[in-house]
Amino acid sequence: MSCWGVGLSENGWMTSKSFYEWVVNVFYPWLVKNNTDFPVVLFLDSHSSHSTLLLSEFCREKKIELITLLPNATHILQPLDVGLFRPLKISWSKAVKNWKFSNKGARIRREDFGNIMATAIKELDLKIVFANAFRATGLHSLTADGIDFEKYFKNTETTND
C-alpha cells in the first residue's frame, strides 16, 4: 500500500468529494497500516470542502476526531504553510532541474510528477523541517505563552467595553 494519494478535480481545487476520498482511501488506511491507536485527531483548516456530513459520519464511525482551525490564522495554526512549503519549493526546483538535465531538457509529464516530488521530499530532513515549522508557529511545545500574540495582533485596539 502506498502512502501517496493524488486527486483530481475539474478546476484543480480541493473539493468535498476529493477530500472525503483522501480521508477514506489514503489517510484512514495509512492509520490502520501503521497500527495507530484510535481515536486520532485530524486538524483541518476552515475550507468548506472539509465540512460535510458524509465526512463527519465516516470519521465518527472510525474514531477520527475532526477539529477545524480558525479561518485566516495560517501564521499561527498551520505550521506546514509556515515552515514546509518554502523548503519544499526549493527542493522541488532543484529536483526539476536535475530531472530535466537527466532527460535532455524534456518537458515534465503528469506521469513524471510523482517521482520528481518523491526526489524533492527525500532531500528534506522532514523531522527537522516539521519541528521548526511547529516551533515557528508556537505550537511546539504547546504552552499558554508559546504563541507570541503581540506579533500577530499588534494593530488591534482594545477597549474596556
Side-chain angles (χ1 to χ4, degrees), residues 69-77 137 139 144 146-159:
L69 302 174
L70 297 171
N72 304 315
T74 297
H75 55 284
I76 300 173
L77 298 174
T137 56
L139 295 175
I147 299 171
D148 180 7
F149 288 100
E150 296 280 327
K151 177 179 173 183
Y152 301 113
F153 302 110
K154 57 186 163 197
N155 294 330
T156 60
E157 285 187 35
T158 57
T159 64

Side-chain angles (χ1 to χ4, degrees), residues 56-126:
S56 296
E57 289 171 345
F58 175 83
C59 290
R60 184 181 309 115
E61 176 186 316
K62 301 300 184 186
K63 298 184 180 175
I64 300 171
E65 301 293 330
L66 299 175
I67 306 291
T68 302
L69 302 174
L70 297 171
N72 304 315
T74 297
H75 55 284
I76 300 173
L77 298 174
Q78 293 177 313
L80 298 184
D81 283 358
V82 171
L84 172 67
F85 294 130
R86 183 169 189 275
L88 182 57
K89 284 168 103 175
I90 292 168
S91 186
W92 168 257
S93 179
K94 181 180 168 186
V96 166
K97 286 179 188 174
N98 290 339
W99 184 91
K100 284 188 173 196
F101 181 78
S102 297
N103 290 277
K104 300 177 181 153
R107 292 181 58 120
I108 297 172
R109 300 166 300 159
R110 287 182 184 176
E111 51 269 20
D112 301 319
F113 176 85
N115 288 331
I116 298 170
M117 180 58 81
T119 299
I121 290 171
K122 284 178 189 172
E123 292 298 314
L124 299 175
D125 187 337
L126 291 178

Side-chain angles (χ1 to χ4, degrees), residues 47-60:
H47 193 270
S48 61
S49 66
H50 299 151
S51 302
T52 65
L53 181 59
L54 189 61
L55 178 67
S56 296
E57 289 171 345
F58 175 83
C59 290
R60 184 181 309 115

